[in-house]
Amino acid sequence: SKAALSNLVHNWARQSRERRFRVNVLSPGPTRTPGLLGAAGPEADRFAEAVVPLGRLADAEEIAEAALFLASDASSFVTGAELFADGGYTRA
């Protein structure tokens, strides 16, 4: 499903020229939320320490900042992109 979403974003970006809108996708990593901590408890922190290159869970505010960047004029020349806000988990 992740590959399908990525392909969809790329295709929409190609087709968005006439209407002048941008299409991007934000891929967050493990994030410190009540739901995750309720489900995984302290194991969530141990998981992050072991496998996330930055060694910790993201704070929800960090993911929000990445989303705000994509929504802002600061990313006005960004389209068809996938922004990984995952502490290096996906690519490392």
Side-chain angles (χ1 to χ4, degrees):
S1 64
K2 290 180 184 182
L5 182 59
S6 182
N7 287 333
L8 184 63
V9 165
H10 291 186
N11 287 328
W12 277 351
R14 286 189 195 103
Q15 297 172 10
S16 67
R17 182 177 181 172
E18 288 181 18
R19 294 195 175 143
R20 295 183 176 255
F21 64 89
R22 298 176 295 118
V23 182
N24 298 295
V25 63
L26 175 62
S27 294
T31 305
R32 183 177 299 286
T33 63
L36 177 66
L37 296 177
E43 291 300 314
D45 286 313
R46 285 194 276 279
F47 168 81
E49 288 172 8
V51 301
V52 175
L54 287 180
R56 63 179 179 82
L57 298 171
D59 291 324
E61 292 80 13
E62 292 173 302
I63 304 304
E65 288 291 330
L68 287 172
F69 165 73
L70 288 175
S72 76
D73 289 340
S75 67
S76 64
F77 201 63
V78 177
T79 193
E82 184 168 6
L83 177 57
F84 293 93
D86 65 359
Y89 178 69
T90 302
R91 300 290 182 179

